[in-house]
Amino acid sequence: MTRRLLSGFARSVAIFVPVFLVATFVTFALRALSGLSPAHLQLGESATPEAVAQIEHQWGLDRPFLTQYLDWFGDLLAGRLGTSWYNGADISRLLVEGAVVSLSVAGLALVLGVVFGFGFGVLAAVRRTTWVDRAITGFMTFISVMPSFVVGIVLVVVFAVGLGWFPSAGYVPAERGLGVWLAHLVLPAIALSFDTVSDVARQLRAGLVAAYRENYVTGAVVRGLGPRRIFLRHVLRNGMGPALTVLGMKFPNLLGGAVVTESIFGMAGFGKFAADSAQRGDVPAVQGVLVVSVVLVVVFNLLVNVILVRVTPASARGV
């Protein structure tokens, strides 16, 4: 098992390292493609060519492109994302402050997606072709077409303004109490989780139903194994692969959806920082957001691939 895990991890790294390198290169090329300069932020549109050249020299932007990229990539590997053109602040610090908020919301949304997606998917597969299966399938289809911003507005109106069960906006750090922290995360996390719940449930249901039709399940029934043992040892392990794959694909959507959700719930998170930086033309800040997003997505997908190798026999064989 250890050898299979290492082999699967090595295959994943072999795929994701080139992806990361290409993504960082494209991200760094953003400034050259945009044509933006820190001089425009500091001096405005009335800046003279001499003043622009002086400021770009101070920022090292008059050096060859490849030299700039290699220096930036070296700083990136050391955990330094540069300095904001807008206010001269350290981008790493600004991103950490926003990422804590966004990852808290996305993390809770992911947990909700896993718990309810797997719960509904398993129930629909076990009760396949019954009214329970049809009801769950219809409900998953319904919530899958609901935009997160619409769900967020409805949740605020009903549960925050109407019933007063949750705060309508804002974020409270966990240091001030887990209860208060969770109370501010519940509504935005629910709004973000609908799409993940529906896709995970439908993929899991399809995978489990397909596994139930395999010959090894028929053989287990003939040998007299109980339904629970058949489900846990044969059906679930072989049928959960598609759901785990979809889960890996949903993580970028959760981070991207944070932009809209944070604006509805008044959170100064990762998405708001990215949107504000883009509107100001703060290229280093936007580059930092993109790089951190790529790293988070790559790491999460590596974890999903390792889990796939561990729990699904087909993935362990490289199928």
Side-chain angles (χ1 to χ4, degrees), residues 103-135:
L103 289 179
S104 298
V105 176
L108 183 56
L110 189 65
V111 171
L112 294 175
V114 171
V115 172
F116 288 97
F118 270 71
F120 283 124
V122 168
L123 182 59
V126 172
R127 297 296 187 89
R128 57 195 179 279
T129 70
T130 67
W131 69 269
V132 175
D133 180 22
R134 291 191 291 271

Side-chain angles (χ1 to χ4, degrees), residues 76-92:
L76 177 64
L77 295 179
R80 297 187 297 269
L81 297 176
T83 305
S84 169
W85 285 355
Y86 177 69
N87 54 16
D90 180 50
I91 294 174
S92 300

Side-chain angles (χ1 to χ4, degrees), residues 7 63 67 134 145 169 194 206 210 219 249 253 299:
S7 176
R63 297 175 299 162
T67 302
R134 291 191 291 271
V145 299
F194 270 32
M249 297 168 59
N253 294 343
V299 170

Side-chain angles (χ1 to χ4, degrees), residues 43-316:
L43 303 178
E45 297 297 331
S46 60
T48 63
E50 293 78 11
V52 171
Q54 182 180 1
I55 290 180
E56 290 189 347
H57 177 73
Q58 293 173 356
W59 285 88
L61 301 179
D62 54 350
R63 297 175 299 162
F65 174 81
L66 190 58
T67 302
Q68 295 182 52
Y69 170 71
L70 293 176
D71 289 345
W72 176 80
F73 189 75
D75 291 339
L76 177 64
L77 295 179
R80 297 187 297 269
L81 297 176
T83 305
S84 169
W85 285 355
Y86 177 69
N87 54 16
D90 180 50
I91 294 174
S92 300
R93 180 181 60 81
L94 297 175
L95 280 177
V96 167
E97 294 173 356
V100 170
V101 178
S102 296
L103 289 179
S104 298
V105 176
L108 183 56
L110 189 65
V111 171
L112 294 175
V114 171
V115 172
F116 288 97
F118 270 71
F120 283 124
V122 168
L123 182 59
V126 172
R127 297 296 187 89
R128 57 195 179 279
T129 70
T130 67
W131 69 269
V132 175
D133 180 22
R134 291 191 291 271
I136 291 176
T137 301
F139 180 63
M140 293 301 106
T141 303
F142 173 71
I143 66 174
S144 69
V145 299
M146 297 182 65
S148 59
F149 72 91
V150 174
V151 178
I153 294 173
V154 172
L155 291 175
V156 169
V157 172
V158 175
F159 294 101
V161 178
L163 298 175
W165 291 356
F166 299 96
S168 60
Y171 173 80
V172 174
E175 293 80 9
R176 293 176 55 181
L178 290 179
V180 180
W181 175 68
L182 281 173
H184 284 79
L185 296 179
V186 169
L187 295 185
I190 292 176
L192 270 180
S193 68
F194 270 32
D195 188 54
T196 303
V197 170
S198 63
D199 280 358
V200 170
R202 288 183 293 184
Q203 290 296 327
L204 183 61
R205 187 256 180 209
L208 295 180
V209 170
Y212 267 118
R213 296 169 180 163
E214 295 292 338
N215 292 332
Y216 53 77
V217 174
T218 304
V221 173
V222 172
R223 293 197 305 272
L225 298 181
R228 178 176 296 182
R229 187 176 181 184
I230 291 174
F231 177 77
L232 293 176
R233 295 195 60 180
H234 299 284
V235 176
L236 185 60
R237 288 193 63 190
N238 289 277
M240 68 189 304
L244 289 176
T245 302
V246 166
L247 200 60
M249 297 168 59
K250 285 299 175 183
F251 187 68
N253 294 343
L254 293 177
L255 287 178
V259 178
V260 177
T261 306
E262 288 168 8
S263 63
I264 294 174
F265 291 93
M267 291 180 164
F270 198 66
K272 187 176 186 302
F273 175 76
D276 291 344
S277 299
Q279 291 174 358
R280 289 191 293 254
D282 192 353
V283 174
V286 175
Q287 289 173 333
V289 169
L290 294 176
V291 168
V292 172
S293 300
V294 169
V295 170
L296 290 174
V297 171
V298 166
V299 170
F300 184 79
N301 278 275
L302 281 174
L303 292 175
V304 169
N305 283 358
V306 170
I307 294 173
L308 275 170
V309 173
R310 177 66 180 85
V311 301
T312 59
S315 295

